[in-house]
Amino acid sequence: MSTTQEIYQKLSQLMPLEKLQLAEMLLADLDTPDPQIEAVWRDEAQKRWQAYKDGKMSSVSYDSIMQKYK
């Protein structure tokens, strides 16, 4: 049996409120920014901004997108 399954079996015996509190803690932990992922997105955003400024990438207005998906 995997460690994850063992943990789940133990935690499944908790009271509903305790399960909720644990779930909130786990979700909060997952919400913590990862510096490596943030760096990748920052670099990508800078590349896209530079491409837009250099005329290599065009933009689409918010209104045209919203019209397309109505």
Side-chain angles (χ1 to χ4, degrees):
M1 183 179 303
S2 76
T3 304
T4 304
Q5 290 172 330
E6 291 170 1
I7 293 170
Y8 175 76
Q9 284 185 345
K10 289 179 183 178
L11 296 178
S12 66
Q13 297 172 21
L14 293 174
M15 299 297 294
L17 183 57
E18 293 172 311
K19 289 179 185 177
L20 177 62
Q21 291 169 335
L22 179 60
E24 288 174 343
M25 286 188 275
L26 290 170
L27 289 172
D29 185 54
L30 289 173
D31 237 4
T32 304
D34 181 323
Q36 290 177 324
I37 294 172
E38 295 295 319
V40 170
W41 276 115
R42 183 190 63 244
D43 293 345
E44 181 64 23
Q46 289 172 342
K47 288 177 191 174
R48 290 181 188 196
W49 176 244
Q50 191 61 49
Y52 174 76
K53 289 191 330 185
D54 293 343
K56 297 176 183 174
M57 180 188 292
S58 61
S59 65
V60 179
S61 75
Y62 172 82
D63 291 332
S64 67
I65 294 295
M66 296 313 294
Q67 287 298 319
K68 182 177 178 180
Y69 293 102
K70 278 190 174 181

